[in-house]
Amino acid sequence: MTGTAMEESQLILHVGLPKGGSSALQTALSQTPELTSGTGRQLRYTALRQAGGQQTLLQGRALSLAARRSAYGYATWPNIRPGDADSPVFDWLPKVVEAGRRDGTVPIASCEGWVNQPDLFAAHLQRWGNPRVEVVAFLRPPVDWMNASYWQWGIWNVPSLDLWLRRGNLPYNFGLDLERWAQIPNLRLRLAGARPDVVQKFSALYDVNLPGASSSNSSSPPALIGFLLRNREFRPSGHDASSEFVVQRWCPPVPGRKLWAVQAAHVWALRQAVARNRAALQRIAAAEELEDILSDARWQDERLYHSEIRLGPSVLDDRAEMAALHDALCEGATRACVAAGLKVPDWPGCPSAAADLEQWDATLRKPMEALLAADRNLRQSQGASFGAALGQRLGVRLGRGVRGALPRIFRGA
């Protein structure tokens, strides 16, 4: 991986992958949205917020505060539905490019789901005169990625990885997608593996000082997934992982095995996808990029999955892990309550190993509810205090008639 970015680029698109370190990178960029490369190039992270039928472009301090107000801890651009050529994303990206030209900055836009939309972007980039664009993606091997995606999305809809693979809603075609990205005129594709640290790799790629974030979308402990599956009020669907982000933000890690669902038959079923995507990457990646991607030996050696396969799928109601989850939730909820200035409740004691799941869930529910409420209280108070201060500053600068009105391109102060 080289350390110098293409100096003439007018836009940097981080397109993913989903479950490829995107949340960690978006969190870090949200906390440090203004960056300067070693050559003095100014980079600016941007995000597009959609609410009530309105869109607001965020950057600077306003973006960082919006990220802090979000349960996820970051701000980003919205995903695009398949075939949605009229997405507001395509109205706002040329505005971002034009603003960057005026300010002498290179804007960064990120959405982990854009990776499989090269044709839509190709059509719009051509309409905009094919500005010079860089597209960045960080990859995981297909078997590892499919395991992670099942726990992120599949388990909330189907009871087994077999059914998830048969449905084929989320096939691993990212290498082939990136090959189509590489064919777009005036576009430079930049690739790397997602391990061990996407934030560090992005920093090296663009020669910037981007501190890592303390919270990101790492794998949840099996006991937490089991609890959330049995208590859907805390996570109603595969597309609302906010509770898991809050737990990661406040609670110490729960020791134990990471989530695993893959069995030998799944590895065999994915062999063609591995070979197909690896071949595509070999055609489009620079030598040092390919070396970095394939340094994760799971692209080429199935034996590295054998130990997990022999252990079988993760157990979601192991009592020892549930006891560790109880302690972690109580500690995290205590931290959050103290930070929010709330009274710390008396936490129920940990049930015995012989207790049924209903008793365990009743015990875990109290610190979970307190944790989410305290975190929400903190985030809302930050947003309210910022809004009041901003309204006051706008009133001073622009006159009392605009007090409380927010500009659609919103940098903050």
Side-chain angles (χ1 to χ4, degrees):
M1 180 179 299
T2 61
T4 304
M6 182 172 65
E7 288 295 338
E8 295 183 348
S9 60
Q10 297 171 6
L11 176 66
I12 297 170
L13 298 176
H14 167 243
V15 301
L17 273 48
K19 301 307 297 177
S22 296
S23 296
L25 179 58
Q26 290 161 352
T27 302
L29 287 168
S30 295
Q31 293 176 2
T32 312
E34 304 285 342
L35 299 164
T36 303
S37 75
T39 60
R41 190 71 162 168
Q42 301 297 311
L43 308 180
R44 174 176 294 149
Y45 184 59
T46 65
L48 184 65
R49 180 172 61 193
Q50 296 189 108
Q54 298 287 326
Q55 295 93 36
T56 304
L57 183 69
L58 299 173
Q59 48 197 29
R61 184 167 177 255
L63 188 153
S64 296
L65 285 164
R68 287 166 55 188
R69 195 176 184 189
S70 166
Y72 293 92
Y74 59 78
T76 186
W77 283 68
N79 209 342
I80 301 169
R81 296 189 306 274
D84 185 9
D86 296 324
S87 167
V89 166
F90 299 119
D91 294 328
W92 282 93
L93 279 178
K95 298 175 185 178
V96 168
V97 172
E98 180 57 34
R101 287 192 186 117
R102 291 196 307 268
D103 297 345
T105 63
V106 180
I108 303 169
S110 173
C111 177
E112 66 276 9
W114 288 351
V115 64
N116 59 6
Q117 303 285 356
D119 299 332
L120 275 179
F121 274 88
H124 282 282
L125 287 169
Q126 182 181 37
R127 183 168 62 85
W128 305 333
N130 284 116
R132 293 179 296 274
V133 174
E134 295 187 33
V135 167
V136 190
F138 299 92
L139 295 106
R140 291 173 74 166
V143 173
D144 175 61
W145 182 88
M146 192 59 70
N147 178 70
S149 70
Y150 172 67
W151 294 109
Q152 178 75 20
W153 300 292
I155 188 66
W156 310 97
N157 300 298
V158 296
S160 72
L161 182 55
D162 286 311
L163 292 173
W164 178 240
L165 289 172
R166 283 180 209 154
R167 288 178 63 168
N169 290 345
L170 204 59
Y172 193 108
N173 290 323
F174 301 124
L176 304 173
D177 294 332
L178 290 165
E179 190 170 23
R180 298 209 308 279
W181 277 101
Q183 296 165 2
I184 298 174
N186 262 355
L187 185 143
R188 182 183 186 184
L189 189 62
R190 316 202 76 173
L191 305 175
R195 285 190 167 191
D197 188 322
V198 164
V199 175
Q200 288 183 3
K201 289 190 175 184
F202 186 92
S203 298
L205 195 62
Y206 288 99
D207 192 20
V208 295
N209 179 22
L210 179 61
S214 59
S215 175
S216 61
N217 189 18
S218 58
S219 177
S220 292
L224 176 60
I225 296 299
F227 172 77
L228 295 175
L229 283 167
R230 295 188 302 270
N231 299 270
R232 288 297 187 98
E233 67 268 28
F234 298 115
R235 184 170 179 178
S237 75
H239 298 288
D240 183 2
S242 58
S243 294
E244 290 179 69
F245 277 79
V246 174
V247 169
Q248 291 174 24
R249 184 152 53 242
W250 294 100
C251 300
V254 176
R257 183 186 177 200
K258 289 189 175 181
L259 288 164
W260 190 257
V262 171
Q263 300 176 57
H266 304 133
V267 177
W268 301 334
L270 289 167
R271 279 175 175 169
Q272 288 187 354
V274 175
R276 188 168 57 246
N277 285 276
R278 187 174 60 220
L281 294 173
Q282 289 168 337
R283 290 191 292 268
I284 61 176
E288 66 272 15
E289 293 175 338
L290 188 63
E291 180 182 2
D292 182 74
I293 293 166
L294 297 185
S295 66
D296 188 332
R298 295 171 300 171
W299 275 99
Q300 305 181 83
D301 190 351
E302 294 176 353
R303 293 173 297 176
L304 298 174
Y305 297 113
H306 288 180
S307 61
E308 291 290 353
I309 289 172
R310 281 193 290 268
L311 290 173
S314 295
V315 176
L316 305 184
D317 58 0
D318 180 88
R319 297 308 197 263
E321 292 186 2
M322 291 172 71
L325 175 64
H326 167 271
D327 293 345
L329 286 176
C330 291
E331 182 174 341
T334 297
R335 292 173 179 172
C337 288
V338 170
L342 301 175
K343 180 181 178 181
V344 179
D346 293 326
W347 308 122
C350 190
S352 70
D356 58 26
L357 285 176
E358 289 76 11
Q359 184 177 346
W360 275 98
D361 286 352
T363 301
L364 295 172
R365 192 174 291 114
K366 183 172 183 179
M368 175 65 85
E369 290 173 344
L371 170 62
L372 297 179
D375 181 81
R376 183 169 55 250
N377 182 288
L378 274 169
R379 290 184 286 107
Q380 290 176 346
S381 64
Q382 289 173 347
S385 61
F386 171 66
L390 178 68
Q392 185 176 21
R393 285 194 293 272
L394 286 172
V396 169
R397 293 176 184 174
L398 303 178
R400 296 181 64 182
V402 301
R403 193 175 298 246
L406 303 183
R408 295 184 74 197
I409 296 183
F410 186 17
R411 295 184 187 175

